[in-house]
Amino acid sequence: MYAPTSTNSPRSGPTSGESGDGLTDFDGAGEILRAWGNGLRPDPDLTVSEWADRHRMLSGRASAEPGRYRTVRTPYMREIMDRLSPGDPTQRIVFMKAAQVGATEAGNNWIGFAIHQAPGPMLAVQPTVELAKRNSRQRIDPLIDESPELRERVKPARSRDAGNTMLSKEFAGGILIMTGANSAVGLRSTPARYIFLDEVDAYPASADEEGDPVTLAEARSLTFAHRRKVFLVSTPTIRGLSRIEREYEASDQRRFFVPCPHCGHAQWLKFDRLRWQKGRPETAEYLCEGCETPIAEHHKTAMLEGGEWRATATAADPTTVGYHLSALYSPIGWLSWERIVRAWDAAQGSDEAIKAFRNTILGETWVETGEAPDWQRLYDRRERWTSGTVPAGGLFLTAGADVQKDRIEVDVWAWGRGLESWLVDHVVIEGGPDRHNAWSELTALLDRSWPHERGAHLRIARLAIDTGYEAPAVYSWSRAQGFAQVSPVKGVEGFNRSSPVSGPTFVDATEGGKRLRRGARLWTVAVSTFKAETYRFLRLARPTEEEMAAGAAFPPGSVHLPHWVENEWLKQFVAEQLVTVRTKRGFARLEWQKLRERNEALDCRVYARAAAWIAGADRWPDEKWRDLEDQLGAAPTDNDPAGQINRPGQAPQGKRRSDWLGRRGGWF
């Protein structure tokens, strides 16, 4: 539409003589007509990458390189982003990648594009609700604040209208809902044309026990048929359990091929082609597959600009495309080949470090070795220290309790720096959960203390008790003891490295025959994670006597077993192994299978380890470990963690102090 203007009076429309109808004969008519004309003009036909280059600004709050977004900085992201454009027929885009290659920013570009160019309902899922809130503050709010086109479309947070909250951003034609994969309510809250699933390998196995979070989320988009877009992104974890690997293997498995600057041969970058002089990571170069000529890293920028994605397989679903990228492609100024080599050298000797390297730098899955250690080898490695005493390295105690029909088995473990552990005691309480005295004996165990080599006495900081058998009785007893010292747990299959213990969630309990709604707190434990960790720790190489005499220490995670432990306990400790099974769809899946019927020792270890995680040992700073070391052998103080340390030679503290510090307060 033509919007007339006046040279003499730019802020007024045409005169009545010019229009002939008098409808635009008023001040400001020109602006109205121009705005109307702009509204009728179609939006530019942009792809997501073109939109990002034109409109996206990176905030200093959310980016190490603030300023205008430039796709040329990460050329490998162009095709991935453009697949998310409405004009592309692809419905599902899978991206298995290393950490810090620009994937999350690409997803945020897609969010901005949708708000501005193709509005519709969008669901963005993080592993947990807390991470979704953090992502909203650190990434989504800056995304909107730094872009005028988005600011004018998203209602301000200060508005009385609830359209803009931390987890909900409303805009003309659509809404962005952000939630966590641990919230079934959030995943089924609304239909969504666009679904952004970030770090799917960190999702729990089930969302509030209602099913796989990815399946629940994708179900929100089915009504949009061919117009839907689903973006699955993650750093992979364990082979056979990794969601992103499973999705990638079902796709066309694209790799980013880059040309050699010397011979032009196109190849995708592999870590085993990286070469460097021993002890000199700064000499790292890439050996071309075609001409065997070393490629210096300064060539990487031109190589990335000349690169292209190529499919290496046939997808099971033609509407799904999959991409894989390692940190070897990281742009100049981000993660260099030298730093990658240094990380690899530093990881040697540690399975955990090598696993992290493969996951976060190579973007590949880790093959978990779940072969059960030989119990006889563990028998030969038993150590001798004073029975019933906590060795010098143990800094706090946790216990795992396994409730059986006719007994309650409890193992008490001491934990030190680096999660080095010592089996301190093994207790069998005769009588099942229907025997009152059994619970009384378990209560007495909470008030018991064990002498430490340095003279102090330690009590159990936290006990984790399994709810798999007679859960109501366990809830009732746990409630009576106080949840500061006792944690009811429920084991679930699957690996969850980022959060192997989740909760607590409130469950109903019974007390005095009366049902108490939300009367107990239940923790969920990914038992596979701690079983695999235990086996990995058992395989750690130990220093020889000569090395120890020279001052060598045991590696972090070492498991110390006392001389008094019996054969039966050792057999139970390694009673399972990890095997690969095939699902009905042909995908590989890891599963723990029993080698013998009894496995209480392994279960108790898992629960005691979960108790240490709940206590916070995996997240303590060095200062807290030093504080524990300083307190050993000292008189008890109000800063005593969980009231677990008694004065040297002193009898265990009485009931009142136990209640005050051990069960009602303290660090744990």
Side-chain angles (χ1 to χ4, degrees):
M1 173 177 288
Y2 171 66
T5 60
S6 170
T7 304
N8 297 326
S9 180
R11 293 190 57 80
S12 63
T15 64
S16 58
E18 291 172 315
S19 64
D21 54 14
L23 295 178
T24 59
D25 189 12
F26 60 88
D27 189 43
E31 281 74 6
I32 293 176
L33 289 173
R34 278 193 294 274
W36 188 26
N38 290 335
L40 294 177
R41 185 182 300 116
D43 288 330
D45 186 17
L46 299 177
T47 64
V48 173
S49 67
E50 291 170 341
W51 180 90
D53 287 336
R54 184 177 300 187
H55 298 290
R56 178 78 195 277
M57 295 295 293
L58 297 173
S59 166
R61 286 189 293 161
S63 174
E65 297 182 357
R68 183 167 298 280
Y69 183 90
R70 296 178 299 132
T71 304
V72 70
R73 190 79 170 98
T74 54
Y76 47 77
M77 293 305 309
R78 185 182 305 278
E79 178 178 321
I80 297 174
M81 286 192 287
D82 291 349
R83 291 285 185 178
L84 297 166
S85 307
D88 192 282
T90 307
Q91 295 180 25
R92 300 175 79 251
I93 298 89
V94 177
F95 190 19
M96 183 171 75
K97 48 82 180 182
Q100 303 300 317
V101 294
T104 299
E105 288 303 337
N108 292 338
N109 289 341
W110 180 39
I111 291 175
F113 171 88
I115 294 173
H116 186 200
Q117 296 287 312
M122 173 175 277
L123 180 65
V125 184
Q126 294 289 326
T128 66
V129 174
E130 284 304 313
L131 286 175
K133 292 178 180 178
R134 185 189 306 173
N135 184 72
S136 177
R137 291 191 301 267
Q138 296 180 350
R139 292 184 179 270
I140 303 302
D141 286 347
L143 165 71
I144 296 170
D145 293 342
E146 298 295 328
S147 171
E149 291 78 12
L150 302 184
R151 269 201 318 271
E152 68 183 25
R153 285 166 170 77
V154 179
K155 297 180 179 181
R158 61 181 178 273
S159 172
R160 292 183 179 180
D161 194 320
N164 186 346
T165 65
M166 185 176 293
L167 295 178
S168 174
K169 308 293 182 184
E170 195 171 301
F171 49 91
I175 186 172
L176 169 64
I177 299 293
M178 292 166 280
T179 188
N182 58 342
S183 171
V185 174
L187 294 176
R188 63 167 186 262
S189 59
T190 181
R193 178 183 176 186
Y194 309 119
I195 297 180
F196 180 19
L197 304 175
D198 199 10
E199 292 300 338
V200 297
D201 269 20
Y203 289 5
S206 180
D208 294 334
E209 299 187 4
E210 293 192 20
D212 175 49
V214 172
T215 303
L216 292 176
E218 287 206 51
R220 301 293 89 206
S221 68
L222 296 179
T223 56
F224 289 90
H226 66 280
R227 296 189 301 130
R228 71 174 185 146
K229 294 283 184 180
V230 181
F231 189 27
L232 298 97
V233 180
S234 189
T235 302
T237 49
I238 300 171
R239 180 166 300 174
L241 294 175
S242 170
R243 284 189 176 94
I244 199 68
E245 181 191 53
R246 183 167 62 247
E247 295 289 351
Y248 176 74
E249 289 184 345
S251 73
D252 56 2
Q253 301 180 30
R254 298 181 177 228
R255 304 276 191 173
F256 197 64
F257 284 72
V258 294
C260 170
H262 306 297
C263 69
H265 176 74
Q267 59 208 293
W268 64 273
L269 303 183
K270 307 175 183 68
F271 179 64
D272 60 10
R273 303 292 299 179
L274 206 59
R275 299 288 189 272
W276 65 94
Q277 298 176 21
K278 186 175 181 180
R280 298 186 59 196
E282 68 276 7
T283 63
E285 295 176 315
Y286 192 88
L287 202 62
C288 173
E289 291 180 357
C291 63
E292 297 293 323
T293 302
I295 302 172
E297 188 163 19
H298 66 80
H299 291 295
K300 190 193 293 185
T301 300
M303 294 168 66
L304 292 180
E305 290 175 353
E308 64 175 0
W309 288 102
R310 295 181 184 178
T312 62
T314 301
D317 176 6
T319 65
T320 298
V321 294
Y323 301 88
H324 175 267
L325 198 79
S326 75
L328 292 171
Y329 292 91
S330 188
I332 299 293
W334 288 15
L335 185 62
S336 66
W337 289 346
E338 176 185 343
R339 288 175 57 195
I340 290 175
V341 170
R342 290 188 185 279
W344 172 253
D345 287 343
Q348 300 311 299
S350 168
D351 281 355
E352 275 297 301
I354 294 177
K355 173 191 174 298
F357 180 89
R358 295 192 67 87
N359 290 168
T360 62
I361 294 182
L362 300 187
E364 298 174 356
T365 51
W366 166 260
V367 180
E368 193 69 72
T369 53
E371 183 180 354
D374 181 10
W375 72 268
Q376 291 178 321
R377 179 167 167 265
L378 298 182
Y379 182 90
D380 295 336
R381 278 179 23 179
R382 294 178 306 165
E383 302 172 38
R384 184 170 294 276
W385 66 81
T386 304
S387 182
T389 300
V390 181
L395 300 179
F396 72 99
L397 305 181
T398 68
D402 187 20
V403 180
Q404 299 288 324
K405 182 178 180 180
D406 59 349
R407 67 194 183 283
I408 302 175
E409 299 218 9
V410 185
D411 282 338
V412 181
W413 287 85
W415 301 90
R417 285 179 178 269
L419 295 176
E420 191 172 358
S421 60
W422 295 260
L423 177 65
V424 173
D425 208 344
H426 172 61
V427 179
V428 179
I429 299 174
E430 297 297 338
D434 56 346
R435 176 175 170 263
H436 182 268
N437 286 346
W439 295 114
S440 298
E441 292 179 39
L442 189 57
T443 301
L445 192 66
L446 295 176
D447 288 327
R448 179 181 164 187
S449 68
W450 286 259
H452 192 277
E453 279 190 14
R454 291 172 60 183
H457 280 71
L458 303 185
R459 290 174 40 241
I460 295 172
R462 186 172 290 269
L463 179 143
I465 182 168
D466 179 36
T467 61
Y469 184 78
E470 288 293 339
V474 174
Y475 293 150
S476 178
W477 177 80
S478 301
R479 177 181 171 84
Q481 308 315 307
F483 296 113
Q485 191 181 14
V486 175
S487 299
V489 296
K490 175 185 178 182
V492 295
E493 290 301 323
F495 288 80
N496 191 334
R497 298 281 181 179
S498 62
S499 184
V501 182
S502 58
T505 57
F506 290 94
V507 295
D508 295 345
T510 303
E511 190 172 280
K514 182 180 179 181
R515 181 171 174 267
L516 301 175
R517 182 170 175 78
R518 295 167 59 88
R521 302 175 188 176
L522 177 66
W523 297 82
T524 301
V525 180
V527 295
S528 293
T529 300
F530 290 143
K531 288 177 182 177
E533 177 193 80
T534 298
Y535 280 13
R536 200 162 51 247
F537 287 168
L538 289 173
R539 287 192 296 269
L540 290 174
R542 299 189 165 210
T544 64
E545 293 184 3
E546 293 78 10
E547 290 171 335
M548 285 192 288
F554 282 89
S558 294
V559 179
H560 303 271
L561 301 176
H563 66 279
W564 50 260
V565 73
E566 299 177 349
N567 293 356
E568 174 59 26
W569 189 95
L570 290 170
K571 292 176 181 178
Q572 293 179 21
F573 197 46
V574 292
E576 300 183 23
Q577 68 177 358
L578 195 62
V579 299
T580 303
V581 297
R582 291 283 174 180
T583 65
K584 293 181 179 179
R585 296 177 59 191
F587 293 119
R589 181 172 62 85
L590 294 179
E591 182 180 284
W592 286 94
Q593 293 183 356
K594 287 185 178 181
L595 298 173
R596 63 196 310 272
E597 185 57 32
R598 294 191 59 182
N599 66 340
E600 295 92 320
L602 180 58
D603 285 344
C604 287
R605 161 72 184 201
V606 167
Y607 305 145
R609 174 66 178 92
W613 194 97
I614 295 170
D618 295 70
R619 303 171 295 283
W620 284 344
D622 184 67
E623 292 77 9
K624 185 161 288 190
W625 289 106
R626 282 204 305 266
D627 193 27
L628 282 174
E629 291 168 337
D630 292 342
Q631 290 187 54
L632 282 172
T637 67
D638 288 345
N639 292 324
D640 175 359
Q644 64 168 341
I645 301 176
N646 293 325
R647 196 183 305 274
Q650 183 180 5
Q653 298 298 311
K655 180 74 171 180
R656 288 188 178 180
R657 178 171 176 82
S658 172
D659 282 344
W660 178 54
L661 282 176
R663 302 189 196 176
R664 311 299 181 200
W667 289 0
F668 303 145

